[in-house]
């Protein structure tokens, strides 16, 4: 197991040749590992060496100055000239701006490649770092670590008063007055005799596949995330102190479901439900973990699908005799806390397909499928347009989850049923699945889902994927497909990484782009006739040309020849698919449904012809 650093352990030309031959894998510029190595383990093992190579003028700070390495959840804390974050597989290097007059010392590290020296925060400085306001670096130093540092300083300076004076001297040099006050108070404190608890505080258990992976607390002011003793890969990180971790935010309801739940804030949302996507349970009571059903596929949708139509029995909500709307009946399901919560603006229902082909709401049962009913106000055909889009995606070679159109009761337009791809396939399947959308990967809030770029996605995915070259090709093809079908809703929450780990794995064994989902031609719907791409490519969201996609290929580190072949193949496959694709035979598409489908196909044909 060897780490290769250009200019230190290997020259540039040799590293390039070996990478081309497939012997080495490039993690980022100048950093390579052997292709046969456990890359995630290698990155964590040599984290400090990598950080020193990338940022030679920075120094280890906060918890990393204590551990002389990354934290248990894969974070390495630095201080240097600028604020920045770098993700390399399982390692996240988090650098904040160093003070004007840092107090550092030299430490010796040996990571198996020999000893080397690295600068670290001194005892006085790391104690001040522990009291920085709303700082991720500060949050990495827990109460126990503060006590250890305080004891060490008291020993060095002959008492609490001497230690406080020494820390204050450094605080004044750097104008860290608040940190100096907090440090002094901690060193000179008196024991508290009575513990007063805020009854509004929350203590939540977060479980993944039924096993606790951490604890989410809210003290009435801010959130804190505490990882449990590692039982598997690091899944959740709190990147902004005081805020919910991005992965948790990505699970929360939005749009229609958010309005149905009528929850005023994140605290109320997390109290109102327990089950979420990615096999996540969030609860206040550990005893509930054993009572909530595991999401395991009982019956594949393909067994009850024929010619694109669901052939089982729909036993979900409809419009009743009292003229209650479908949305009202669906909303009643969410009054139960054990009904899974879904993210996304579109109306959706969590469903369970049992072994006899009965499709029913998944309140109290496994959550295996997602039902997407027709919309209103001109969006009645949304399910059939999405079915057509996914069918085109499958025809051009994308991995597409099983799906089918469902005949709905009471004369309602058909709905789309989609099989979950982030759950276990049967009771014997021991794999652990997690899906992380690109908003979470890029550490962006949900409201910023339209703010990214395709190039930024490519850079982020390359550093995390276990097959980066293949995923770069998928990202290129996803962007091209969205353009060809006029999909203006391929935003950061409609693209994701699918992460898989085996029993006992400490790291994810597979991190790849998730299958194609939520693809739809948006230009056929009211007020979206001029819809543009959701994410910019080469600075553009309209009038894209081949050169724009080849520019993406260059940015993503792809061979231009491979990109040319992929583009040509998709154009040819789209032409063939557009000549043969048609809606499944149903009687209730209505005239409008058939007309909008024809409009969609016409848009796709024009784009394919103009692009070719």
């Amino acid at each position: 197991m060897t780490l290769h650093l250009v200019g230190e352990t290997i020259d540039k030309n040799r590293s390039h040749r070996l990478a081309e031959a497939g012997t080495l894998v490039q993690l980022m510029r100048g950093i390579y590992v052997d292709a046969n190595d456990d890359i995630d383990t290698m990155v964590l093992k040599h984290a400090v060496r990598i950080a020193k190579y990338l940022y030679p003028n920075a120094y280890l700070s906060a918890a990393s100055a204590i551990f002389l390495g990354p934290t248990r959840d894969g974070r390495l804390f630095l201080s240097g000239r600028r604020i920045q974050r770098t993700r390399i597989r399982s390692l996240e290097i988090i650098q904040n701006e160093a003070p004007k007059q840092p107090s550092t010392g030299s430490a010796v590290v040996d990571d198996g490649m020999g000893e080397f020296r690295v600068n670290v925060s001194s005892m006085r400085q790391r104690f001040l770092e522990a009291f920085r306001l709303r700082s991720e670096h500060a949050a990495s130093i827990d109460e126990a670590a503060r006590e250890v540092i305080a004891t060490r300083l008291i020993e060095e300076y002959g008492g609490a008063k001497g230690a406080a004076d020494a820390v204050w001297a450094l605080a004044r040099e750097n104008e860290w007055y608040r940190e100096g006050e907090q440090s002094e108070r901690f060193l000179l404190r008196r024991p508290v005799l009575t513990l007063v608890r805020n009854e509004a505080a929350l203590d939540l258990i977060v479980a993944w596949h039924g096993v606790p992976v951490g604890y989410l607390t809210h003290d009435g002011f801010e959130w804190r995330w505490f990882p449990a003793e590692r039982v598997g890969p690091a899944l959740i990180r709190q990147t902004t102190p005081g805020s919910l971790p991005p992965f948790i935010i990505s699970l929360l309801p939005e749009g229609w479901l958010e309005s149905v739940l009528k929850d005023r804030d994140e605290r109320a949302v997390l109290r109102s439900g327990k089950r979420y996507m990615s096999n996540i349970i969030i609860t206040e009571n550990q005893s509930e973990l054993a009572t909530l059903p595991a999401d395991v596929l009982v019956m594949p949708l393909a067994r009850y699908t024929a010619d694109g139509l669901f052939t089982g029995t729909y036993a979900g909500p409809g419009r009743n005799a009292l003229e209650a709307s479908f949305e009202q009946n669906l909303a009643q399901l969410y009054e139960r806390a054990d009904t899974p919560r879904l993210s996304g603006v579109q109306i959706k229902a969590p469903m369970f397909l049992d072994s006899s082909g009965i499709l029913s709401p998944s309140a109290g049962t496994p959550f295996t499928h997602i039902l997407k009913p027709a919309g209103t106000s001109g969006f009645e055909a949304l399910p059939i347009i999405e079915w057509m889009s996914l069918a085109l995606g499958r025809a051009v070679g994308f991995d597409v989850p099983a799906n089918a159109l469902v005949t709905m009761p009471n004369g309602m337009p058909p709905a789309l049923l989609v099989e979950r791809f982030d759950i276990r396939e049967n009771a014997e399947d021991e794999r652990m699945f997690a899906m992380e959308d690109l908003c979470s990967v890029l550490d962006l809030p949900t409201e910023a889902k339209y703010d990214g770029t395709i190039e930024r996605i490519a850079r982020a995915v390359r550093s995390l994927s276990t097959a980066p070259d293949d995923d770069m090709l998928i990202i290129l093809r996803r962007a091209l497909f969205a353009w060809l079908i006029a999909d203006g809703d391929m935003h950061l929450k409609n693209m994701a990484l699918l992460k898989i780990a085996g029993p006992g794995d400490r790291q994810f064994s597979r991190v790849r782009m998730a299958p194609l989902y939520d693809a739809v031609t948006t230009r056929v719907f009211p007020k979206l006739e001029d819809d543009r791409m959701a994410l910019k490519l080469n600075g553009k969201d309209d009038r894209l040309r081949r050169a724009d996609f080849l520019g993406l290929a260059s940015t993503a580190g792809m061979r231009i020849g491979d990109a040319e072949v992929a583009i040509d193949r998709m154009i040819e496959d789209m032409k063939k698919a557009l000549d043969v694709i048609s809606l499944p035979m149903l009687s209730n598409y209505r005239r409008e449904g058939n007309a909008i489908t024809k409009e969609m196909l016409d848009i796709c044909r024009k784009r394919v012809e103009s692009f070719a």
Side-chain angles (χ1 to χ4, degrees), residues 190-195:
R190 294 292 181 267
V192 177
L193 299 179
T194 303
L195 182 62

Side-chain angles (χ1 to χ4, degrees), residues 97-376:
E97 187 175 355
K100 299 175 183 178
Q101 302 292 332
S103 173
T104 62
S106 180
V108 179
V109 176
D110 189 340
D111 58 0
M113 291 178 59
E115 292 186 355
F116 63 98
R117 288 192 170 272
V118 61
N119 287 333
V120 302
S121 294
S122 69
M123 284 290 175
R124 287 189 302 158
Q125 180 159 311
R126 71 185 70 161
F127 195 58
L128 287 169
E129 290 169 349
F131 294 97
R132 300 232 69 190
L133 182 64
R134 299 186 71 82
S135 161
E136 191 172 357
H137 283 56
S140 72
I141 303 177
D142 61 20
E143 195 73 12
R146 289 185 187 184
E147 291 285 359
V148 171
I149 300 172
T151 300
R152 166 68 174 73
L153 289 171
I154 289 170
E155 290 176 354
E156 179 178 355
Y157 292 100
K161 183 64 169 64
D165 290 344
V167 171
W168 250 117
L170 180 59
R172 279 190 291 269
E173 287 181 24
N174 291 293
E175 299 180 356
W176 283 10
Y177 300 116
R178 178 191 173 280
E179 291 82 355
E181 291 173 358
Q182 295 290 330
S183 300
E184 180 181 52
R185 190 174 301 142
F186 191 93
L187 289 164
L188 303 178
R189 70 196 185 286
R190 294 292 181 267
V192 177
L193 299 179
T194 303
L195 182 62
V196 178
R197 172 180 168 80
N198 179 5
E199 296 299 326
L202 274 180
D203 289 297
L204 301 172
I205 301 166
V206 180
W208 181 43
H209 287 283
V211 178
V213 293
Y215 306 92
L216 195 58
T217 69
H218 193 278
D219 59 6
F221 175 67
E222 63 181 11
W223 292 100
R224 292 197 70 185
W225 168 251
F226 300 94
E229 188 69 27
R230 285 283 292 279
V231 293
L235 180 63
I236 301 170
R237 293 182 175 89
Q238 186 175 31
T239 55
T240 303
S243 299
L244 277 176
F247 184 82
I248 300 294
I249 292 175
S250 72
L251 302 175
L252 299 183
E254 53 180 320
W256 175 83
L257 180 53
E258 186 178 26
S259 65
V260 164
L261 295 173
K262 300 177 182 177
D263 293 320
R264 295 183 302 276
D265 57 22
E266 297 163 342
R267 296 172 67 258
V269 170
L270 289 169
R271 267 183 162 161
S272 72
K274 306 178 189 301
R275 301 170 61 195
Y276 299 85
M277 295 286 286
S278 287
N279 309 281
I280 295 292
I281 294 174
I282 302 178
T283 178
E284 295 182 83
N285 303 311
Q286 181 147 355
S287 60
E288 289 185 322
L289 296 180
T291 64
L292 294 169
D295 294 336
V296 178
L297 195 64
V298 173
M299 176 56 59
L301 179 57
R303 300 273 187 88
Y304 287 93
T305 302
D307 300 323
L309 299 177
F310 176 61
T311 59
T313 303
Y314 176 75
R319 287 193 290 249
N320 63 27
L322 297 178
E323 294 302 321
S325 70
F326 173 82
E327 289 84 357
Q328 288 173 318
N329 290 332
L330 181 57
Q332 291 177 4
L333 293 174
Y334 288 101
E335 293 178 2
R336 292 185 53 164
D338 60 353
T339 297
R341 273 41 176 164
L342 300 102
S343 63
V345 174
Q346 185 182 355
I347 298 175
K348 302 173 187 174
M351 307 297 284
F352 170 54
L353 181 61
D354 69 14
S355 56
S356 60
I358 296 176
L359 181 68
S360 59
S362 61
T365 56
F367 171 24
T368 59
H369 294 79
I370 299 172
L371 184 76
K372 298 177 153 187
T376 58

Side-chain angles (χ1 to χ4, degrees), residues 36-100:
N36 295 326
D37 283 345
D38 182 339
I39 298 177
D40 286 312
T41 300
M42 284 287 294
V43 168
L44 290 176
K45 180 179 180 182
H46 301 296
V48 178
R49 190 180 294 271
I50 290 172
K52 186 175 183 181
Y53 177 79
L54 292 174
Y55 311 111
N57 297 319
Y59 56 89
L60 295 181
S61 55
S64 294
I66 300 171
F67 301 139
L68 297 182
T71 58
R72 190 171 291 170
D73 59 355
R75 293 179 295 167
L76 188 75
F77 294 95
L78 302 180
S79 293
R81 296 174 180 173
R82 60 181 65 88
I83 299 171
Q84 60 186 16
R85 307 176 80 93
T86 304
R87 290 279 297 272
I88 307 176
R89 290 293 184 90
S90 53
L91 173 66
E92 184 170 25
I93 301 174
I94 304 166
Q95 184 175 167
N96 70 358
E97 187 175 355
K100 299 175 183 178

Side-chain angles (χ1 to χ4, degrees), residues 507-545:
Q507 307 295 334
F508 286 105
S509 58
R510 178 181 169 88
V511 179
R512 297 294 312 278
M513 284 295 294
L516 179 70
Y517 66 95
D518 284 2
V520 64
T521 299
T522 54
R523 284 206 171 196
V524 297
F525 295 106
K527 300 182 181 180
L528 298 177
E529 295 84 356
D530 299 316
D531 206 18
R532 296 168 177 259
M533 290 277 281
L535 304 173
K536 288 188 176 181
L537 171 61
N538 194 26
K540 299 161 61 178
D541 57 10
D542 200 11
R543 302 182 183 277
L544 295 175
R545 296 291 181 262

